Coordinates of all heavy atoms in Angstrom, one line a residue:
M1 N -29.9 31.3 -7.2 CA -31.1 30.5 -6.9 C -31.1 30.2 -5.4 O -30.1 30.0 -4.7 CB -31.0 29.2 -7.6 CG -32.2 28.3 -7.4 SD -32.1 26.8 -8.3 CE -32.5 27.4 -9.9
W2 N -32.3 30.3 -4.8 CA -32.5 30.2 -3.3 C -33.1 28.8 -3.1 O -34.0 28.3 -3.8 CB -33.4 31.2 -2.8 CG -32.8 32.5 -2.9 CD1 -32.8 33.4 -3.9 CD2 -31.9 33.1 -1.9 NE1 -32.1 34.5 -3.7 CE2 -31.5 34.4 -2.4 CE3 -31.5 32.7 -0.7 CZ2 -30.7 35.2 -1.7 CZ3 -30.6 33.6 0.0 CH2 -30.2 34.8 -0.5
A3 N -32.5 28.1 -2.1 CA -33.0 26.8 -1.7 C -34.3 27.0 -0.8 O -34.6 28.1 -0.4 CB -32.0 26.0 -0.9
V4 N -35.0 25.9 -0.6 CA -36.2 25.9 0.2 C -35.9 26.5 1.6 O -36.7 27.1 2.3 CB -36.8 24.5 0.3 CG1 -37.9 24.5 1.3 CG2 -37.1 24.0 -1.0
T5 N -34.6 26.2 2.1 CA -34.3 26.7 3.4 C -34.0 28.2 3.5 O -33.7 28.7 4.6 CB -33.0 25.9 3.9 OG1 -31.9 26.2 3.0 CG2 -33.3 24.4 4.0
G6 N -33.9 28.8 2.4 CA -33.6 30.2 2.4 C -32.1 30.5 2.2 O -31.6 31.6 2.1
Q7 N -31.3 29.4 2.2 CA -29.8 29.5 2.1 C -29.5 29.5 0.6 O -30.2 28.9 -0.2 CB -29.2 28.3 2.7 CG -29.3 28.2 4.2 CD -28.5 29.2 4.9 OE1 -27.4 29.6 4.5 NE2 -29.1 29.7 6.1
R8 N -28.5 30.3 0.2 CA -28.1 30.4 -1.2 C -27.4 29.1 -1.5 O -26.5 28.8 -0.7 CB -27.3 31.6 -1.4 CG -26.9 31.8 -2.8 CD -26.3 33.2 -3.1 NE -26.1 33.2 -4.5 CZ -25.3 34.1 -5.1 NH1 -24.6 34.9 -4.4 NH2 -25.2 34.1 -6.4
E9 N -27.7 28.5 -2.6 CA -27.0 27.3 -2.9 C -25.6 27.6 -3.5 O -25.4 28.6 -4.2 CB -27.8 26.5 -4.1 CG -29.1 26.0 -3.5 CD -29.9 25.2 -4.6 OE1 -29.2 24.9 -5.7 OE2 -31.1 25.1 -4.5
V10 N -24.6 26.8 -3.1 CA -23.3 27.0 -3.6 C -23.0 26.0 -4.7 O -23.3 24.7 -4.5 CB -22.3 26.7 -2.4 CG1 -20.9 26.8 -2.9 CG2 -22.6 27.6 -1.3
P11 N -22.6 26.4 -5.8 CA -22.3 25.5 -6.9 C -21.2 24.5 -6.5 O -20.3 24.8 -5.8 CB -21.8 26.3 -8.1 CG -21.4 27.6 -7.5 CD -22.2 27.8 -6.2
P12 N -21.3 23.2 -7.0 CA -20.3 22.2 -6.6 C -18.9 22.5 -7.1 O -17.9 22.2 -6.5 CB -20.8 20.9 -7.2 CG -21.8 21.3 -8.2 CD -22.3 22.7 -7.8
I13 N -18.8 23.3 -8.2 CA -17.5 23.6 -8.7 C -17.6 25.0 -9.4 O -18.6 25.2 -10.1 CB -17.0 22.6 -9.7 CG1 -15.5 22.9 -10.1 CG2 -17.9 22.5 -10.9 CD1 -14.8 21.8 -10.8
T14 N -16.7 25.9 -9.2 CA -16.7 27.2 -9.8 C -15.8 27.2 -11.0 O -15.0 26.3 -11.2 CB -16.3 28.3 -8.8 OG1 -14.9 28.0 -8.4 CG2 -17.2 28.3 -7.5
R15 N -15.9 28.3 -11.8 CA -15.0 28.4 -12.9 C -13.5 28.5 -12.5 O -12.6 28.0 -13.0 CB -15.4 29.6 -13.8 CG -16.6 29.5 -14.5 CD -16.9 30.7 -15.4 NE -18.2 30.5 -16.0 CZ -18.8 31.4 -16.7 NH1 -18.2 32.6 -16.9 NH2 -20.0 31.2 -17.3
F16 N -13.4 29.3 -11.4 CA -12.0 29.5 -10.8 C -11.4 28.1 -10.4 O -10.3 27.8 -10.7 CB -12.0 30.4 -9.6 CG -10.7 30.5 -8.9 CD1 -9.7 31.2 -9.4 CD2 -10.5 29.8 -7.7 CE1 -8.4 31.4 -8.8 CE2 -9.3 29.9 -7.1 CZ -8.3 30.6 -7.6
L17 N -12.2 27.3 -9.7 CA -11.8 26.0 -9.2 C -11.5 25.1 -10.4 O -10.4 24.4 -10.4 CB -12.8 25.4 -8.3 CG -12.4 24.0 -7.7 CD1 -11.1 24.0 -7.0 CD2 -13.5 23.5 -6.8
A18 N -12.3 25.1 -11.4 CA -12.1 24.3 -12.6 C -10.7 24.7 -13.3 O -10.0 23.8 -13.7 CB -13.3 24.4 -13.6
E19 N -10.5 26.0 -13.4 CA -9.3 26.4 -14.0 C -8.0 26.0 -13.1 O -7.0 25.6 -13.7 CB -9.3 27.9 -14.1 CG -8.0 28.5 -14.7 CD -8.0 30.0 -14.7 OE1 -9.0 30.7 -14.4 OE2 -6.9 30.6 -15.1
Q20 N -8.2 26.1 -11.8 CA -7.1 25.8 -11.0 C -6.8 24.2 -11.0 O -5.6 23.8 -11.0 CB -7.3 26.2 -9.5 CG -7.3 27.6 -9.2 CD -6.0 28.3 -9.7 OE1 -5.0 27.9 -9.2 NE2 -6.1 29.3 -10.5
L21 N -7.8 23.5 -11.1 CA -7.6 22.0 -11.2 C -7.0 21.6 -12.5 O -6.4 20.6 -12.6 CB -9.0 21.3 -11.0 CG -9.5 21.4 -9.6 CD1 -11.0 20.8 -9.5 CD2 -8.6 20.7 -8.5
A22 N -7.2 22.4 -13.6 CA -6.8 22.1 -14.9 C -5.4 22.7 -15.2 O -4.8 22.4 -16.3 CB -7.8 22.6 -15.9
T23 N -4.8 23.4 -14.2 CA -3.5 24.1 -14.5 C -2.5 23.4 -13.6 O -2.7 23.2 -12.5 CB -3.7 25.6 -14.0 OG1 -4.7 26.2 -14.8 CG2 -2.4 26.3 -14.3
A24 N -1.3 23.2 -14.2 CA -0.2 22.6 -13.5 C 0.5 23.8 -12.7 O 0.6 24.9 -13.2 CB 0.8 22.1 -14.5
H25 N 0.8 23.5 -11.4 CA 1.3 24.4 -10.6 C 2.8 24.1 -10.3 O 3.0 23.0 -9.7 CB 0.5 24.6 -9.3 CG -0.9 25.1 -9.5 ND1 -1.1 26.5 -9.7 CD2 -2.0 24.6 -9.7 CE1 -2.4 26.7 -9.9 NE2 -3.0 25.5 -9.9
W26 N 3.7 24.9 -10.6 CA 5.1 24.6 -10.4 C 5.7 25.8 -9.6 O 5.4 26.9 -10.0 CB 5.9 24.3 -11.6 CG 5.4 23.1 -12.3 CD1 4.5 23.0 -13.3 CD2 5.8 21.8 -12.1 NE1 4.2 21.8 -13.7 CE2 5.1 21.0 -13.0 CE3 6.7 21.2 -11.2 CZ2 5.2 19.5 -13.0 CZ3 6.8 19.8 -11.2 CH2 6.1 19.0 -12.1
F27 N 6.5 25.5 -8.7 CA 7.1 26.6 -7.8 C 8.6 26.5 -7.9 O 9.2 25.4 -7.7 CB 6.6 26.6 -6.5 CG 5.1 26.7 -6.3 CD1 4.3 25.5 -6.2 CD2 4.5 27.9 -6.4 CE1 3.0 25.6 -6.2 CE2 3.1 28.0 -6.4 CZ 2.4 26.8 -6.2
D28 N 9.3 27.6 -8.2 CA 10.7 27.6 -8.3 C 11.3 27.7 -6.9 O 11.1 28.7 -6.2 CB 11.2 28.8 -9.1 CG 12.7 28.8 -9.4 OD1 13.4 27.9 -8.9 OD2 13.1 29.7 -10.1
Q29 N 12.0 26.7 -6.5 CA 12.6 26.6 -5.1 C 14.0 27.1 -5.0 O 14.6 27.0 -3.9 CB 12.4 25.2 -4.6 CG 11.1 24.7 -4.5 CD 11.0 23.3 -4.1 OE1 12.1 22.6 -3.8 NE2 9.8 22.7 -3.9
R30 N 14.6 27.5 -6.1 CA 16.0 27.9 -6.1 C 16.4 28.9 -5.0 O 17.4 28.7 -4.3 CB 16.5 28.3 -7.4 CG 16.6 27.2 -8.5 CD 17.0 27.7 -9.8 NE 15.8 28.5 -10.4 CZ 15.8 28.9 -11.6 NH1 16.8 28.7 -12.5 NH2 14.7 29.5 -12.1
R31 N 15.6 30.0 -4.9 CA 16.0 31.1 -4.0 C 15.7 30.6 -2.5 O 16.5 30.9 -1.6 CB 15.1 32.3 -4.2 CG 15.6 33.0 -5.4 CD 14.8 34.3 -5.7 NE 14.1 34.9 -4.6 CZ 13.2 35.9 -4.8 NH1 13.0 36.4 -5.9 NH2 12.6 36.3 -3.7
T32 N 14.7 29.7 -2.3 CA 14.5 29.2 -1.0 C 15.5 28.3 -0.5 O 16.1 28.3 0.6 CB 13.1 28.5 -0.9 OG1 12.1 29.4 -1.4 CG2 12.8 28.0 0.4
R33 N 15.9 27.4 -1.5 CA 17.1 26.5 -1.2 C 18.4 27.2 -0.9 O 19.1 26.9 0.1 CB 17.3 25.5 -2.4 CG 16.2 24.5 -2.5 CD 16.6 23.6 -3.7 NE 15.4 22.6 -4.0 CZ 15.5 21.6 -4.7 NH1 16.7 21.4 -5.4 NH2 14.5 20.8 -4.9
Q34 N 18.6 28.3 -1.7 CA 19.8 29.0 -1.4 C 19.7 29.8 -0.1 O 20.7 29.7 0.7 CB 20.0 30.0 -2.5 CG 21.3 30.9 -2.4 CD 21.4 31.8 -3.6 OE1 20.5 32.2 -4.2 NE2 22.7 32.2 -3.8
A35 N 18.6 30.4 0.3 CA 18.5 31.1 1.5 C 18.6 30.2 2.8 O 19.1 30.5 3.8 CB 17.1 31.8 1.5
L36 N 18.1 28.9 2.6 CA 18.0 28.1 3.8 C 19.3 27.1 3.7 O 19.5 26.4 4.7 CB 16.8 27.2 3.8 CG 15.4 28.0 3.9 CD1 14.3 27.1 3.8 CD2 15.4 28.8 5.3
G37 N 19.9 27.1 2.6 CA 21.0 26.1 2.5 C 20.6 24.7 2.5 O 21.2 23.8 3.1
W38 N 19.4 24.4 2.0 CA 18.8 23.1 2.0 C 18.8 22.4 0.6 O 18.6 23.1 -0.4 CB 17.3 23.3 2.4 CG 16.5 22.1 2.5 CD1 16.5 21.1 3.4 CD2 15.7 21.5 1.4 NE1 15.7 20.1 3.1 CE2 15.1 20.3 1.9 CE3 15.3 22.0 0.2 CZ2 14.2 19.6 1.2 CZ3 14.4 21.3 -0.5 CH2 13.8 20.1 -0.1
E39 N 19.0 21.2 0.7 CA 18.9 20.4 -0.5 C 18.1 19.1 -0.1 O 18.3 18.6 1.0 CB 20.3 19.9 -1.1 CG 21.0 21.0 -1.7 CD 20.4 21.5 -3.0 OE1 19.8 20.7 -3.7 OE2 20.5 22.7 -3.3
P40 N 17.2 18.6 -1.0 CA 16.4 17.4 -0.7 C 17.3 16.2 -0.5 O 18.3 16.0 -1.2 CB 15.5 17.3 -1.8 CG 16.1 18.0 -3.0 CD 16.9 19.1 -2.3
S41 N 17.0 15.4 0.4 CA 17.8 14.1 0.7 C 17.2 13.0 0.0 O 17.8 11.9 -0.1 CB 17.9 13.9 2.2 OG 16.6 13.6 2.7
V42 N 16.0 13.1 -0.6 CA 15.3 12.1 -1.4 C 14.9 12.6 -2.7 O 14.4 13.7 -2.9 CB 14.0 11.6 -0.6 CG1 13.2 10.6 -1.3 CG2 14.3 11.1 0.8
T43 N 15.2 11.8 -3.8 CA 14.8 12.2 -5.1 C 13.3 12.1 -5.3 O 12.7 11.4 -4.5 CB 15.6 11.3 -6.2 OG1 15.1 10.0 -6.0 CG2 17.1 11.4 -6.0
L44 N 12.8 12.7 -6.3 CA 11.4 12.6 -6.6 C 11.0 11.1 -6.9 O 10.0 10.6 -6.4 CB 11.0 13.4 -7.9 CG 10.8 14.9 -7.6 CD1 10.5 15.6 -8.9 CD2 9.6 15.1 -6.7
E45 N 11.9 10.4 -7.7 CA 11.6 9.0 -8.0 C 11.5 8.2 -6.7 O 10.6 7.3 -6.5 CB 12.7 8.4 -8.9 CG 12.6 9.0 -10.3 CD 13.3 10.4 -10.4 OE1 14.1 10.8 -9.5 OE2 13.0 11.1 -11.3
E46 N 12.5 8.4 -5.8 CA 12.5 7.6 -4.5 C 11.3 8.1 -3.6 O 10.7 7.2 -3.0 CB 13.8 7.9 -3.8 CG 13.9 7.0 -2.5 CD 15.2 7.3 -1.7 OE1 16.1 7.9 -2.2 OE2 15.3 6.8 -0.5
G47 N 11.0 9.3 -3.7 CA 9.8 9.8 -2.9 C 8.5 9.2 -3.4 O 7.7 8.7 -2.6
F48 N 8.4 9.1 -4.7 CA 7.2 8.5 -5.2 C 7.1 7.0 -4.9 O 6.1 6.4 -4.7 CB 7.0 8.8 -6.7 CG 6.6 10.1 -7.1 CD1 7.3 10.9 -8.0 CD2 5.5 10.7 -6.5 CE1 6.9 12.2 -8.3 CE2 5.1 12.0 -6.7 CZ 5.8 12.8 -7.7
A49 N 8.3 6.3 -5.0 CA 8.3 4.9 -4.7 C 8.0 4.6 -3.2 O 7.2 3.7 -2.9 CB 9.7 4.4 -5.0
R50 N 8.4 5.5 -2.3 CA 8.1 5.4 -0.9 C 6.6 5.6 -0.7 O 5.9 5.0 0.1 CB 8.9 6.4 -0.1 CG 10.3 6.1 0.1 CD 11.0 7.1 1.0 NE 12.4 7.0 1.1 CZ 13.2 7.7 1.9 NH1 12.6 8.7 2.6 NH2 14.5 7.5 2.0
L51 N 6.1 6.6 -1.4 CA 4.6 6.9 -1.3 C 3.8 5.7 -1.8 O 2.8 5.3 -1.1 CB 4.3 8.1 -2.1 CG 2.8 8.6 -2.1 CD1 2.4 8.9 -0.7 CD2 2.6 9.7 -3.1
A52 N 4.2 5.1 -2.9 CA 3.5 3.9 -3.4 C 3.6 2.7 -2.4 O 2.6 2.1 -2.1 CB 4.1 3.5 -4.7
D53 N 4.8 2.5 -1.8 CA 4.9 1.5 -0.8 C 4.0 1.7 0.4 O 3.4 0.9 0.9 CB 6.4 1.4 -0.4 CG 7.3 0.9 -1.4 OD1 6.8 0.3 -2.5 OD2 8.5 1.0 -1.3
S54 N 4.0 3.0 0.8 CA 3.1 3.4 1.9 C 1.7 3.1 1.7 O 1.0 2.6 2.5 CB 3.4 4.8 2.3 OG 2.4 5.3 3.3
Y55 N 1.2 3.5 0.5 CA -0.2 3.2 0.1 C -0.5 1.7 0.1 O -1.5 1.2 0.5 CB -0.6 3.8 -1.2 CG -0.9 5.3 -1.1 CD1 -0.3 6.2 -2.0 CD2 -1.9 5.7 -0.2 CE1 -0.6 7.6 -1.9 CE2 -2.2 7.1 -0.2 CZ -1.6 8.0 -0.9 OH -1.9 9.3 -0.9
A56 N 0.5 0.9 -0.5 CA 0.3 -0.5 -0.5 C 0.3 -1.1 0.8 O -0.6 -2.0 1.1 CB 1.5 -1.1 -1.4
A57 N 1.1 -0.7 1.7 CA 1.1 -1.2 3.1 C -0.2 -0.9 3.8 O -0.8 -1.7 4.5 CB 2.3 -0.7 3.9
A58 N -0.7 0.4 3.6 CA -1.9 0.8 4.3 C -3.0 0.0 3.7 O -4.0 -0.4 4.4 CB -2.1 2.3 4.0
S59 N -3.0 -0.3 2.4 CA -4.1 -1.1 1.7 C -4.1 -2.5 2.3 O -5.2 -3.0 2.6 CB -3.9 -1.0 0.3 OG -4.9 -1.8 -0.4
A60 N -2.9 -3.0 2.4 CA -2.8 -4.4 2.9 C -3.3 -4.5 4.4 O -4.0 -5.4 4.8 CB -1.4 -4.9 2.8
T61 N -2.9 -3.5 5.2 CA -3.4 -3.4 6.6 C -4.9 -3.3 6.7 O -5.6 -4.0 7.5 CB -2.7 -2.2 7.4 OG1 -1.3 -2.4 7.2 CG2 -3.2 -2.1 8.8
A62 N -5.5 -2.4 5.8 CA -6.9 -2.2 5.8 C -7.6 -3.5 5.3 O -8.6 -3.9 5.9 CB -7.3 -1.1 4.9
A63 N -7.0 -4.2 4.4 CA -7.7 -5.5 3.9 C -7.6 -6.5 5.0 O -8.5 -7.3 5.2 CB -6.9 -6.0 2.7
S64 N -6.5 -6.6 5.7 CA -6.3 -7.5 6.8 C -7.4 -7.2 7.9 O -7.9 -8.1 8.5 CB -4.9 -7.4 7.4 OG -4.8 -8.3 8.5
A65 N -7.5 -5.9 8.2 CA -8.4 -5.5 9.3 C -9.9 -5.9 8.9 O -10.6 -6.4 9.7 CB -8.3 -4.1 9.6
T66 N -10.2 -5.7 7.6 CA -11.5 -6.0 7.1 C -11.7 -7.5 7.2 O -12.8 -8.0 7.6 CB -11.7 -5.5 5.7 OG1 -11.5 -4.1 5.6 CG2 -13.1 -5.8 5.1
A67 N -10.8 -8.3 6.8 CA -10.9 -9.8 6.9 C -11.1 -10.3 8.3 O -11.9 -11.1 8.6 CB -9.7 -10.4 6.2
T68 N -10.3 -9.7 9.2 CA -10.4 -10.0 10.6 C -11.8 -9.7 11.2 O -12.4 -10.5 11.9 CB -9.3 -9.3 11.5 OG1 -8.0 -9.6 10.9 CG2 -9.4 -9.6 13.0
A69 N -12.3 -8.5 10.8 CA -13.6 -8.1 11.3 C -14.7 -9.0 10.7 O -15.6 -9.4 11.4 CB -13.9 -6.6 10.9
A70 N -14.6 -9.4 9.4 CA -15.5 -10.3 8.8 C -15.5 -11.7 9.5 O -16.5 -12.3 9.8 CB -15.2 -10.5 7.3
T71 N -14.3 -12.2 9.8 CA -14.2 -13.5 10.5 C -14.8 -13.4 11.8 O -15.5 -14.3 12.3 CB -12.7 -13.9 10.6 OG1 -12.2 -13.9 9.3 CG2 -12.5 -15.2 11.3
T72 N -14.5 -12.3 12.6 CA -15.1 -12.1 13.9 C -16.6 -12.1 13.9 O -17.3 -12.7 14.7 CB -14.5 -10.8 14.6 OG1 -13.1 -10.9 14.6 CG2 -15.0 -10.7 15.9
A73 N -17.1 -11.4 12.9 CA -18.6 -11.2 12.8 C -19.2 -12.6 12.4 O -20.2 -13.0 13.0 CB -18.9 -10.2 11.7
A74 N -18.5 -13.3 11.5 CA -19.0 -14.7 11.1 C -19.0 -15.6 12.3 O -19.9 -16.4 12.5 CB -18.2 -15.2 10.0
S75 N -18.0 -15.5 13.1 CA -17.9 -16.4 14.3 C -19.0 -16.0 15.3 O -19.6 -16.9 15.9 CB -16.5 -16.2 15.0 OG -15.5 -16.7 14.2
A76 N -19.2 -14.7 15.5 CA -20.3 -14.3 16.4 C -21.7 -14.8 15.9 O -22.5 -15.2 16.7 CB -20.3 -12.8 16.5
V77 N -21.9 -14.7 14.6 CA -23.2 -15.2 14.1 C -23.3 -16.7 14.2 O -24.4 -17.2 14.6 CB -23.3 -14.8 12.6 CG1 -24.5 -15.5 11.9 CG2 -23.5 -13.3 12.5
A78 N -22.2 -17.4 13.9 CA -22.3 -18.9 14.0 C -22.5 -19.4 15.5 O -23.1 -20.4 15.7 CB -21.0 -19.5 13.4
S79 N -21.9 -18.6 16.5 CA -22.0 -19.1 17.8 C -23.2 -18.5 18.5 O -23.5 -18.9 19.7 CB -20.7 -18.7 18.6 OG -20.6 -17.3 18.6
A80 N -24.0 -17.6 17.9 CA -25.2 -17.1 18.5 C -26.2 -18.2 18.7 O -26.4 -19.0 17.8 CB -25.7 -15.9 17.7
P81 N -26.9 -18.1 19.8 CA -28.0 -19.1 20.0 C -29.1 -18.9 19.0 O -29.4 -17.8 18.6 CB -28.5 -18.8 21.4 CG -28.0 -17.5 21.8 CD -26.8 -17.2 20.9
R82 N -29.6 -20.0 18.5 CA -30.6 -20.0 17.5 C -32.0 -19.8 18.2 O -32.3 -20.4 19.2 CB -30.6 -21.2 16.7 CG -29.3 -21.5 16.0 CD -29.5 -21.6 14.5 NE -28.3 -22.1 13.9 CZ -27.5 -21.3 13.3 NH1 -27.7 -20.0 13.2 NH2 -26.4 -21.7 12.6
A83 N -32.8 -19.0 17.6 CA -34.2 -18.8 18.1 C -35.0 -20.1 17.9 O -34.9 -20.7 16.8 CB -34.9 -17.6 17.4
Q84 N -35.7 -20.5 18.9 CA -36.5 -21.7 18.9 C -38.0 -21.3 18.8 O -38.4 -20.4 19.3 CB -36.3 -22.6 20.1 CG -34.9 -23.1 20.3 CD -34.5 -24.0 19.2 OE1 -35.3 -24.8 18.8 NE2 -33.2 -23.9 18.7
P85 N -38.7 -22.0 17.9 CA -40.1 -21.7 17.8 C -40.8 -22.1 19.1 O -40.4 -22.9 19.8 CB -40.6 -22.5 16.6 CG -39.6 -23.7 16.5 CD -38.3 -23.1 17.0
P86 N -41.9 -21.4 19.3 CA -42.7 -21.8 20.6 C -43.1 -23.2 20.5 O -43.2 -23.8 19.4 CB -43.9 -20.8 20.5 CG -43.7 -19.9 19.5 CD -42.5 -20.3 18.6
A87 N -43.2 -23.9 21.7 CA -43.5 -25.3 21.7 C -44.9 -25.6 21.0 O -45.0 -26.6 20.4 CB -43.6 -25.7 23.2
D88 N -45.8 -24.6 21.1 CA -47.1 -24.9 20.4 C -47.2 -24.4 19.0 O -48.2 -24.5 18.3 CB -48.2 -24.2 21.2 CG -48.0 -22.8 21.4 OD1 -46.9 -22.2 21.1 OD2 -49.0 -22.1 21.8
G89 N -46.1 -23.8 18.4 CA -46.1 -23.3 17.1 C -45.6 -24.3 16.0 O -45.2 -25.4 16.4
P90 N -45.7 -23.9 14.8 CA -45.2 -24.9 13.7 C -43.7 -25.0 13.7 O -43.1 -24.0 14.1 CB -45.8 -24.2 12.4 CG -45.9 -22.8 12.8 CD -46.2 -22.7 14.2
R91 N -43.3 -26.2 13.3 CA -41.8 -26.3 13.1 C -41.4 -25.6 11.8 O -42.2 -25.4 10.9 CB -41.5 -27.8 13.0 CG -41.8 -28.6 14.3 CD -41.3 -30.0 14.2 NE -41.4 -30.6 12.9 CZ -42.3 -31.5 12.5 NH1 -43.2 -32.0 13.4 NH2 -42.4 -32.0 11.3
P92 N -40.1 -25.2 11.7 CA -39.7 -24.5 10.5 C -39.9 -25.3 9.2 O -40.3 -24.7 8.2 CB -38.2 -24.3 10.7 CG -38.0 -24.3 12.2 CD -39.0 -25.3 12.7
D93 N -39.9 -26.6 9.3 CA -40.1 -27.4 8.0 C -41.5 -27.5 7.7 O -41.9 -27.9 6.6 CB -39.5 -28.8 8.2 CG -40.2 -29.6 9.4 OD1 -40.6 -28.9 10.3 OD2 -40.1 -30.8 9.4
Q94 N -42.4 -27.0 8.6 CA -43.9 -27.0 8.3 C -44.3 -25.7 7.7 O -45.4 -25.5 7.2 CB -44.7 -27.2 9.6 CG -44.5 -28.6 10.1 CD -45.1 -28.8 11.4 OE1 -45.2 -27.9 12.2 NE2 -45.5 -30.0 11.8
L95 N -43.5 -24.6 7.7 CA -43.9 -23.3 7.2 C -43.8 -23.3 5.7 O -42.9 -23.9 5.1 CB -42.9 -22.2 7.7 CG -42.9 -22.1 9.3 CD1 -41.9 -21.1 9.7 CD2 -44.2 -21.6 9.7
Q96 N -44.7 -22.6 5.0 CA -44.6 -22.4 3.6 C -44.1 -21.1 3.2 O -44.4 -20.1 3.9 CB -46.0 -22.7 3.0 CG -46.6 -24.1 3.3 CD -48.0 -24.2 2.7 OE1 -48.6 -23.2 2.3 NE2 -48.5 -25.4 2.7
A97 N -43.4 -21.0 2.1 CA -42.9 -19.7 1.7 C -43.9 -18.9 1.0 O -44.9 -19.3 0.5 CB -41.7 -20.0 0.8

């Protein structure tokens, strides 16, 4: 199908991509470990725990930054000079909604 711009539309997901997303991918590292003489220094459980801690810390940092930004914005709004109606105009309490 051709778009108005003349460009061919790309489907958001292809059959291949759907299959790849639905398939577990496991790779045998035995030969690589043997060739390099490498062994992991962190277990999967510890690695996942570190990852969870990292996400929690990043989330807390983001929440703190958001709260700081909100406080700064609220302070700026509160300290901003208020607009005054013209001397010859109606007072705010005289305006009707």
Side-chain angles (χ1 to χ4, degrees):
M1 178 179 287
W2 293 91
V4 175
T5 61
Q7 298 286 327
R8 186 168 183 199
E9 293 180 19
V10 178
I13 189 167
T14 63
R15 288 181 185 177
F16 173 79
L17 181 56
E19 179 184 354
Q20 292 301 308
L21 292 172
T23 303
H25 295 277
W26 297 93
F27 302 97
D28 187 356
Q29 300 176 358
R30 286 179 287 193
R31 287 181 20 190
T32 304
R33 288 181 183 191
Q34 184 179 20
L36 298 176
W38 177 82
E39 287 294 325
S41 59
V42 176
T43 65
L44 278 176
E45 291 78 19
E46 184 180 349
F48 285 132
R50 288 182 184 184
L51 179 63
D53 291 344
S54 174
Y55 278 129
S59 178
T61 301
S64 175
T66 301
T68 301
T71 301
T72 302
S75 296
V77 169
S79 64
R82 304 236 187 261
Q84 297 296 320
D88 59 345
R91 294 189 323 257
D93 61 336
Q94 294 173 330
L95 299 174
Q96 295 180 353

